[in-house]
Each structure stands twice: as structure tokens, then as C-alpha cells.
Amino acid sequence: MDKMRGVVLPGNSTVEFRQFPVPKPGNGQVLVKMKASSICGSDIRAIYREHLGKGPEGYQGVIAGHEPCGQVVEVGPGCKRISKGDRVVIYHIAGCGVCEDCRHGYMISCRGAQRAAYGWQRDGGHADYLLAEETTCVLLPDTLSYVDGALVACGFGTSYEALTRVNLSGTDRLLVVGLGPVGLGSAMLGRAMGAQTVLGVEVASGRIELAQKLQLFDHVLAAEDSTVGKIMELTAGRGCEVSIDCSGAPAGRELALRCTRDWGRCAYVGEGGTVGFDVSQLLIHKQITLYGSWVTSLKHMEDLLERLERWDLHPERTVTDSLPLDRAADAYRLADEGQSGKVCIVFED
Ligand SMILES: [Zn+2]
Ligand SMILES: [Zn+2]
């Protein structure tokens, strides 16, 4: 087989199928047969509807998909760790490898000219095969499925990083604002990391229903005028020690701060847009530490995979729609509607 199908996003809420040559792995590269490749909110926000992304989110017309997981079928010269047959999650950014951020494993933050993210500046996972740098491959534990792995490649990695950054522990109650896939992931992982009480807030009715069905939260609240009051009631008037905004919406970000307990920690993870709030009242006088957190590091991705196996947790539970590659148009439409859980493209055999 020398040709493969790949999905390109023209930027007008459609998908386009094209034929590509199956790539040959060069030095330090491997060829991965795709098994699962999920859709991220960023794909919708910055590429699918229109090409809005700039810099690291600038889309270069490549094969889409930055949450790839599959099996190595060919190994190029000079590879040191990954072998044919290995099941791998792809950390979705290949950095320069030598800058400070890359050396810390945060290739997401690399500013080198060579930095390229799969599905943004180099071919991604919505194709039969993906050409990956060995340095971006993370071994998938046997007990995790390929879909589990795809979800770790961006979304669950992002949730895990934020919870790690705020040092979530068993002394904390956790508030998650915005219950899309990253919000669901934050609840699942937050509980495993020790949070005794996990509260969620969401606008979309479909997502509220899903969050309730998955039983990841103690309480799922609809976002309305009385929400702050309800959260205060549920926390003896104090708010949550840790809150995380996954909504990316100004109102969600403000709610997260407002419902963070004095001296608590709040992380902003949801991308895009702006926020305005009374800084003295909501941040300074409450003595809150506010974090920004972007994706994760290679090391934390490896840690997360190991822990998911140990915790017997499966991100796949948050998938509501699994579709084959030839139904990529339906997959993107579903993800765009914002009522579902995770949407994942899965490959046969
Ligand atoms: Zn993403
Ligand atoms: Zn770098």
C-alpha cells in the first residue's frame, strides 16, 4: 500500500478527503498506523469553522488531528527506544528539542522555528498513517485502549497538567466550570488525585445530562443566576479550594474565581477570548493564586498513562461518538454542536 486517505480542513465548516502517499520514516522517525484519533475543541475553534489560529495555532493546510494514537509499523534509522509493534500515544507537538522548554518536556512551549504540531503545521492523525518523531512517541500501557491513548494526547493531558500545577490533593474540593471533554477529564482525574467533593457547572443541556450519567461529579449545576449561591451552599459558604475553568467563556472564568475559596487556587485552561472582573474583590482580597496552564509535558503525559493504568481509569468513558475516518464530516459536525462528549475517529483492525 503506497497511498492513504487523509482529512484536510478548508476552514468553512467542511472536511475534505485527499489521497496522500504513505510516508517513509526518516532518521529518528517512525510510521504509526492510526487506531484512534479524537477531535479537540481547539480543532473546532481555530481550524474547522475558519482558520483563526496564529503562531502555534496557525493551520498550514496539513492533515488534521492532533490527538493521535496507534501502532508503530515501521521504524526509521537511528531510533533508540520505539520498536515495530509498539502501541504509542503521540505527544502532539514536535519541538526543536534543544531549547529550555523542550528540555523540560514542554515542547508545547517551544519557540524554535522547527516547532511543528501534528494536525496544525505537520500532518496529523486523521489519516491511515502518521509520520511521527520518535521523541514525541509515548508508550501506551497494555491495559489502556487506543481511544484512551488518543484522549491523553491532548485533552486528558491538559486536565492532568492543570490539576498537577495547582497541587490538587485530598484536602481540596474541586469545582470544574465547562463540562466538555477537558472538564469531564478534570473531574475524573481530580477525584483520582484525591478531591473529596467535585462540583461541575455547564451551560449546554446535553453536556449536563452526560456529566450526570457518567457520575463523575457530586453535583452538576446548570449555569444560571443562582449558581454561585448554590455552590456556596454546597461548600458551607466558603467556595472550593480549587477551581478550574475549562469553558473558555468570560462568564465561566469569572464564576470559577468567584467560587474559589479565599487563599484557594484557580486554573484557566479553556482557550480563546477574554475576561473582565473586579480584580480587588475577586482576586487580590481573596488571596487567590491564578494559574494559566497549556497542554502538558512529555514527562507528565507518561506519568498520566502510568497512573491511569494503576487507577484503572479509562478516558474512553467520556467518548459519546466513535466514527470511522470516512465519516469525518459527521464527526466534526457533532463536535462543533457542543452538546456531546468526546468525538473520536476510530480505525478498523
Ligand atoms: Zn487540543
Ligand atoms: Zn524547543
Side-chain angles (χ1 to χ4, degrees):
M1 184 152 118
D2 55 356
K3 289 260 187 290
M4 65 175 191
R5 302 164 297 167
V7 166
V8 171
L9 301 173
N12 54 2
S13 299
T14 63
V15 311
E16 201 177 294
F17 285 91
R18 287 195 206 144
Q19 292 281 320
F20 294 86
V22 174
K24 278 299 277 180
N27 203 47
Q29 296 180 323
V30 299
L31 185 67
V32 182
K33 187 175 191 329
M34 280 298 98
K35 299 287 190 177
S37 183
S38 39
I39 296 175
C40 173
S42 296
D43 295 319
I44 302 296
R45 175 178 54 80
I47 310 179
Y48 175 69
R49 293 175 189 152
E50 39 177 332
H51 297 172
L52 285 181
K54 300 260 183 305
E57 288 193 332
Y59 175 62
Q60 305 295 339
V62 296
I63 296 171
H66 68 266
E67 299 188 342
C69 188
Q71 187 165 33
V72 174
V73 290
E74 203 180 331
V75 176
C79 286
K80 300 181 182 82
R81 184 180 180 195
I82 301 295
S83 318
K84 190 175 167 181
D86 283 346
R87 304 161 80 241
V88 290
V89 180
I90 318 291
Y91 179 92
H92 70 266
I93 307 99
C96 73
V98 291
C99 72
E100 192 177 334
D101 289 306
C102 282
R103 286 185 198 271
H104 280 101
Y106 286 90
M107 293 202 277
I108 180 72
S109 299
C110 174
R111 287 185 169 85
Q114 304 88 338
R115 179 199 189 276
Y118 299 98
W120 300 85
Q121 296 91 28
R122 62 183 283 166
D123 288 333
H126 292 165
D128 297 303
Y129 295 89
L130 177 140
L131 183 67
E133 304 300 318
E134 186 194 24
T135 52
T136 61
C137 293
V138 182
L139 292 168
L140 177 69
D142 291 342
T143 58
L144 298 180
S145 70
Y146 286 113
V147 173
D148 289 329
L151 269 55
V152 166
C154 178
F156 268 68
T158 298
S159 302
Y160 181 68
E161 180 70 24
L163 297 170
T164 304
R165 197 79 60 84
V166 301
N167 278 313
L168 185 81
S169 77
T171 61
D172 299 315
R173 288 168 290 195
L174 172 65
L175 169 66
V176 183
V177 180
L179 306 185
V182 175
L184 296 177
S186 300
M188 192 189 280
L189 299 177
R191 180 86 69 190
M193 291 165 77
Q196 305 281 316
T197 302
V198 182
L199 307 179
V201 177
E202 168 60 44
V203 177
S205 57
R207 288 188 161 172
I208 291 173
E209 270 173 45
L210 175 65
Q212 281 166 336
K213 199 178 99 192
L214 290 173
Q215 299 187 319
L216 298 170
F217 297 87
D218 297 284
H219 298 275
V220 179
L221 307 168
E224 51 199 20
D225 291 346
S226 58
T227 308
V228 175
K230 285 182 186 158
I231 290 169
M232 289 302 163
E233 240 171 70
L234 291 167
T235 54
R238 294 197 166 97
C240 286
E241 286 71 26
V242 168
S243 65
I244 170 164
D245 175 70
C246 306
S247 75
R253 288 169 176 154
E254 190 188 325
L255 179 85
L257 269 183
R258 205 174 273 285
C259 296
T260 303
R261 183 179 182 160
D262 288 7
W263 298 95
R265 298 94 74 203
C266 176
Y268 283 1
V269 171
E271 294 249 23
T274 60
V275 63
F277 56 83
D278 185 326
V279 174
S280 290
Q281 193 202 341
L282 289 191
L283 192 72
I284 297 175
H285 297 176
K286 290 183 70 177
Q287 309 273 18
I288 286 175
T289 308
L290 180 60
Y291 294 79
S293 184
W294 191 22
V295 189
T296 189
S297 68
L298 277 160
K299 162 74 174 142
H300 285 166
M301 192 170 278
E302 282 197 349
D303 289 349
L304 173 58
L305 288 164
E306 185 198 318
R307 283 166 196 180
L308 285 172
E309 178 170 55
R310 196 145 27 94
W311 291 333
D312 192 22
L313 280 185
H314 293 277
E316 185 165 357
R317 284 187 65 213
T318 64
V319 172
T320 47
D321 302 274
S322 302
L323 295 96
L325 185 65
D326 56 21
R327 290 190 59 204
D330 293 330
Y332 272 91
R333 186 179 41 74
L334 280 166
D336 187 21
E337 284 167 1
Q339 292 287 341
S340 48
K342 194 69 168 175
V343 180
C344 190
I345 291 178
V346 290
F347 299 74
E348 311 77 52
D349 67 69

